[in-house]
Amino acid sequence: MNCQEALDLLYDIIDQEVSEIDEAQVRSHLEKCRHCSEIFRLESSIQNFLDAKTANVGSSDNLESLRSKIVSDLDGIDRTEMDCSSKSKLGGTTLFMVSAAALIILVGASFFTSDLVRHYNVYGPLEQAHFAAQLHQPSNSVMEQTLAAVKSSFGFSPGTVVNSFSLIDARMEKILGVDMAHFVYADNGKRVSVFVALSDEFDVPSGLKDHKVVRGNLEYYDHHCRGCRLVYHQSGSAIIITATEDKETELLSFIPGSTII
Amino acid sequence: MADQKLITAEKRKQFEAEALPHMDALLRTALRMTKNERDAEDLVQEAFVKAYRFWDKFEPGSNCRAWLFKIMTNIFINNYRSKSRSPMAVNVDEIDDNFLYGQLSTGEKSSTPEQELFAKIFDDDVKKAIENLPDDFRMVVVLSFLEGFSYQEIAEIADLQLGTVKSRLHRGRKLLQKELFEYAVKNGYIKDKAQ
Ligand SMILES: [Zn+2]
């Protein structure tokens, strides 16, 4: 092993990322070569120094207040999870009783689970896709392709900036068996997803049909459960679904063409 | 329809036992990544909230610490990393490898010229030097130095190629050495050989 070969492995050795065989060869070079052995000694010494200087954490006051903030967030999530399931049960029971009164027992039995089933089969996948976007690694080229695809299919394209949010990711995804363009906006940790699909292929969930909201010239369907809000809006041949877990974010602003801020 | 209360309580118990104990490590790294306490605490808080929502995606028995760091690093990259890439003050590739060695080496056997210098450098100076690294380098340096993650783990956490991890770490080290050296020269602790 020559000097260059030994020095190439310098940091691998310091970081303990080297095989025993390589390490043995480097060590035997160092025994013969003062130049390299001095570099290795100094670099290890620098590393030890840096490690010692960076080992400490924030103060325990910070840790305690942070812990209680996190714990109260977890409590909030636990509560919405339990609230939602108890509401569903209640709705189901009422429907069950109505159906039973009409002596349609079998239909009633399927009604009994309908709310939960609807939740997991209809809203769940969209919420999952929204939360899963946090683990995406955005790609600019995919983002541009997706914007262009929506523009050519529907004649509009979602804005790259909405209020204080910027578009950080866009891609095609198959959700509920339908191809959707999924746009992700972020603003200091707050997130919004905008899904766009063909209205021929995707229908507003039947459970929401009776709950149309009209605001100005905008018609939409609102679903809020388990800490995630979904707003459905049909615009020509497109169905646009916006989603967020952040209560204060106005989802309507994210509907392309919407004038409500 | 099992009792949702029980499911939630069980999930919460697991999360508190496995995930929450890593809070101080996450905060330590978050402080160096975001460079300020408020952002660091927000980042850690957000990471735990996401981790909790995703808890069913965590494979029991796998490395929970690395998984939490992956979530946090991802949030950092998407939301906190400075949008405009800071132009590098110095071109890293112009810095010699083993830069401090070149400056400190006395040619004498059994001398440790760096010890005297290290004794004068404070924790805060090192923190500042790390904070001055460009975001991409700093992230890798912090995950390696502070958290002791392996190259492979860093590659997975930050979604980088192994080669990119190694080269960023190498360049980060060169920049750090230069930074600390310049600090020492400015304070008159050592003289610049080149001058
Ligand atoms: Zn040598």
Side-chain angles (χ1 to χ4, degrees), chain A residues 10 12 15 17 34 41-43 45 47 53 55 73 75 78 81-82 85 128 131 134 137 189, chain B residues 4-5 11-12 28 45-46 50 52 54 74 98 107 114 121 123 150-151 159 166 173 177:
Chain A
L10 166 67
D12 298 74
D15 292 330
E17 294 267 354
R34 223 184 93 199
R41 190 199 63 73
L42 184 76
E43 289 285 346
S45 165
Q47 192 61 44
K53 291 285 178 191
D73 280 347
D75 288 344
D78 287 350
E81 229 166 62
M82 290 187 291
S85 83
Q128 275 300 315
F131 290 129
Q134 288 145 17
Q137 213 68 40
Chain B
Q4 183 65 37
K5 242 183 187 159
K11 172 177 142 193
R12 176 66 177 267
R28 173 173 57 197
Q45 188 179 1
E46 196 181 338
K50 310 255 139 111
Y52 193 49
F54 274 106
N74 204 279
N98 317 123
E114 75 282 7
I121 297 179
D123 290 15
S150 70
Y151 297 166
D159 208 2
K166 284 178 77 164
R173 280 184 153 117
Q177 290 196 4

Side-chain angles (χ1 to χ4, degrees), chain B residues 7-172:
Chain B
I7 298 171
T8 302
E10 180 56 32
K11 172 177 142 193
R12 176 66 177 267
K13 207 175 85 191
Q14 276 179 15
F15 189 79
E16 291 200 353
E18 286 202 53
L20 277 190
H22 300 293
M23 191 180 76
D24 53 351
L26 288 166
L27 182 62
R28 173 173 57 197
T29 284
L31 280 165
R32 299 286 82 77
M33 280 185 179
T34 62
K35 308 191 229 182
N36 82 67
E37 277 184 20
R38 244 196 74 191
D39 282 352
E41 290 182 18
D42 287 352
L43 176 58
V44 174
Q45 188 179 1
E46 196 181 338
F48 273 109
V49 169
K50 310 255 139 111
Y52 193 49
R53 288 196 199 281
F54 274 106
W55 189 238
D56 59 330
K57 297 260 190 298
F58 173 69
E59 278 174 47
S62 67
N63 187 342
C64 187
R65 195 169 76 100
W67 184 74
L68 291 168
F69 271 88
K70 185 175 172 69
I71 292 174
M72 184 172 86
T73 304
N74 204 279
I75 300 171
F76 173 75
I77 291 172
N78 288 331
N79 299 330
Y80 291 83
R81 188 166 58 170
S82 17
K83 295 254 157 62
S84 58
R85 295 300 171 88
S86 50
M88 287 251 271
V90 268
N91 184 349
V92 197
D93 298 317
E94 282 168 9
I95 305 171
D96 291 337
D97 278 344
N98 317 123
F99 174 83
L100 272 182
Y101 169 77
Q103 292 289 343
L104 293 175
S105 159
T106 56
E108 283 164 40
K109 215 177 178 177
S110 75
S111 83
T112 51
E114 75 282 7
Q115 293 306 336
E116 201 190 329
L117 169 63
F118 290 166
K120 291 176 179 155
I121 297 179
F122 297 108
D123 290 15
D124 276 353
D125 304 323
V126 174
K127 270 182 213 159
K128 246 178 252 154
I130 290 179
E131 287 177 359
N132 284 340
L133 294 173
D135 280 351
D136 289 343
F137 293 177
R138 193 172 69 253
M139 211 163 71
V140 172
V141 163
V142 165
L143 290 171
S144 169
F145 289 17
L146 273 70
E147 303 305 334
F149 283 117
S150 70
Y151 297 166
Q152 185 58 46
E153 284 171 323
I154 297 172
E156 280 161 26
I157 288 169
D159 208 2
L160 296 169
Q161 302 281 328
L162 201 61
T164 311
V165 172
K166 284 178 77 164
S167 91
R168 286 192 186 170
L169 202 48
H170 184 94
R171 293 151 135 228

Side-chain angles (χ1 to χ4, degrees), chain A residues 2-4 6-7 29-30 33-37:
Chain A
N2 63 31
C3 291
Q4 194 52 54
L7 291 175
H29 175 80
L30 295 184
C33 177
R34 223 184 93 199
H35 170 70
C36 287
S37 83

Side-chain angles (χ1 to χ4, degrees), chain A residues 132-176:
Chain A
Q134 288 145 17
L135 301 177
H136 286 167
Q137 213 68 40
S139 142
N140 277 332
S141 58
V142 172
M143 196 148 114
E144 266 147 39
Q145 280 164 24
T146 313
L147 280 165
V150 167
K151 177 98 188 155
S152 77
S153 313
F154 301 109
F156 65 81
S157 70
T160 48
V161 175
V162 176
N163 301 341
S164 56
F165 285 73
S166 339
L167 184 66
I168 58 159
D169 186 24
R171 62 185 65 209
M172 293 304 298
E173 281 174 21
K174 210 174 192 78
I175 302 164
L176 291 160

